[in-house]
Amino acid sequence: MSDLPGHIDFATAGCLVDLPPITLGEMDSIKLMNRVDTKYCTREDVLLSILEAAGRHGYRVLEVDGARLTPYNSLYYDTDGLGMYRDHHNKRLVRQKIRTRVYVNSGTTFLEIKRKQNTGRTKKKRIQIDPADFWEIASAGRAGEYGDFIAEYSKYTLQGIHPAMETIFSRITLVNDARTERITMDTGLRFVNHDTGADKDLGSAVIIEIKQDGRSHSEMKDILLDLRVKPLRVSKYCIGTALTNPAVPNHRFKVKIRAIEKTTNQKIC
């Protein structure tokens, strides 16, 4: 078992261990910084079946320093009025998210801006930052550089945003043989709200995201269809905020939360 009680330890699961690896260097051609995303929700036990099927279809798993299950920590920034959250809740087609993200095993840390366009495509810009700056970019020694980056690629300013929501999870990353898609599978999802201090998790839920440059055929979508895993448009930042901040409007995301509860047969809130 994993270090989370009741969770499957995917790091030692045969269906993951048996997949052929792909290195970070080989992944360079599959960055998909301008992409179309499709998200799904399932349970940890179903993920075991998905990984078994992925092996039969020639998928490879990202391996870094011998690890195939990678812990992530992301810190989302927002305005005092949570404008980025509200834009998503109010179904604005054009919206943005700003976050710092650390790859826990390596300590590599980035400042990232994700921009959703009205075409449905997502563009991402990022710069590597000092690991010590993960928690607060505004007071960092490179704050001027970070501020310029935010001003160039978003409608926000460094002074107008603050750390709002921390998301903690472990990720499995798969790549198809043709290298036209990347699949991320996030487990052990936990949210820590920096405004309210509340802490919630999604139990055995797994969030899967298929990232494609264009609309080429996806065998992973076929696998998920066969296993009756349904698409679910879900933002980890927004779900976490809806779960941990009772002061924000959340009726749109309550539907998503109920769908996750139905999928996992677990009560979240």
Side-chain angles (χ1 to χ4, degrees):
M1 301 303 290
S2 74
D3 56 354
L4 296 174
H7 287 254
I8 293 172
D9 183 3
F10 287 97
T12 60
C15 53
L16 183 62
V17 172
D18 292 342
L19 287 174
I22 186 169
T23 67
L24 273 175
E26 293 175 291
M27 289 271 288
D28 281 347
S29 62
I30 326 168
K31 290 181 179 178
L32 304 180
M33 304 300 274
N34 181 10
R35 70 200 189 208
V36 176
D37 302 340
T38 310
K39 295 183 180 180
Y40 300 78
C41 180
T42 189
R43 303 186 310 271
E44 290 181 354
D45 60 317
V46 178
L47 180 55
L48 293 173
S49 299
I50 294 170
L51 292 171
E52 290 174 356
R56 296 193 295 270
H57 285 80
Y59 282 87
R60 300 168 69 184
V61 60
L62 176 64
E63 182 175 295
V64 181
D65 296 330
R68 298 181 171 201
L69 184 69
T70 305
Y72 279 57
N73 197 345
S74 298
L75 183 58
Y76 286 84
Y77 285 70
D78 211 330
T79 64
D80 287 344
L82 300 184
M84 294 183 223
Y85 169 86
R86 292 175 187 274
D87 280 352
H88 200 143
H89 183 272
N90 296 335
K91 301 184 179 181
R92 288 198 62 176
L93 296 179
V94 179
R95 55 185 184 264
Q96 301 171 347
K97 289 189 177 72
I98 299 173
R99 70 188 179 201
T100 51
R101 167 167 285 179
V102 59
Y103 298 80
V104 176
N105 285 348
S106 67
T108 305
T109 309
F110 293 95
L111 169 60
E112 301 180 339
I113 298 173
K114 293 180 68 176
R115 297 175 293 170
K116 188 68 173 288
Q117 300 175 301
N118 57 10
T119 59
R121 298 185 75 87
T122 300
K123 289 187 176 183
K124 184 168 74 171
K125 294 287 184 180
R126 72 180 187 178
I127 57 172
Q128 190 165 349
I129 68 174
D130 298 331
D133 298 343
F134 170 82
W135 296 106
E136 182 50 80
I137 52 178
S139 60
R142 295 169 59 191
E145 177 187 348
Y146 302 157
D148 290 344
F149 174 73
I150 290 171
E152 181 175 0
Y153 293 110
S154 81
K155 66 179 183 180
Y156 300 97
T157 66
L158 179 58
Q159 296 73 26
I161 59 176
H162 71 281
M165 169 63 61
E166 186 180 351
T167 63
I168 303 161
F169 56 92
S170 294
R171 171 169 288 181
I172 298 165
T173 302
L174 303 185
V175 177
N176 65 337
D177 188 54
R179 302 193 186 187
T180 57
E181 66 179 358
R182 185 172 71 237
I183 299 100
T184 59
M185 302 167 166
D186 297 341
T187 68
L189 289 147
R190 180 181 160 215
F191 309 107
V192 180
N193 193 306
H194 283 231
D195 290 329
T196 67
D199 187 326
K200 291 280 188 179
D201 69 77
L202 290 189
S204 66
V206 177
I207 302 298
I208 297 173
E209 187 170 4
I210 299 176
K211 307 172 185 184
Q212 299 171 278
D213 190 357
R215 300 189 180 275
S216 55
H217 178 72
S218 169
E219 289 186 316
M220 180 55 66
K221 288 184 177 180
D222 294 339
I223 291 170
L224 297 179
L225 180 64
D226 288 344
L227 292 172
R228 299 182 180 179
V229 177
K230 298 179 180 179
L232 181 67
R233 293 181 180 178
V234 59
S235 159
K236 288 190 285 291
Y237 169 61
C238 292
I239 290 295
T241 301
L243 284 170
T244 58
N245 189 341
V248 298
N250 61 14
H251 59 273
R252 181 184 177 198
F253 299 120
K254 279 186 176 179
V255 176
K256 312 284 188 180
I257 293 168
R258 299 296 173 260
I260 295 171
E261 290 178 332
K262 184 177 180 180
T263 297
T264 61
N265 296 317
Q266 293 176 311
K267 189 72 172 174
I268 297 172
C269 60

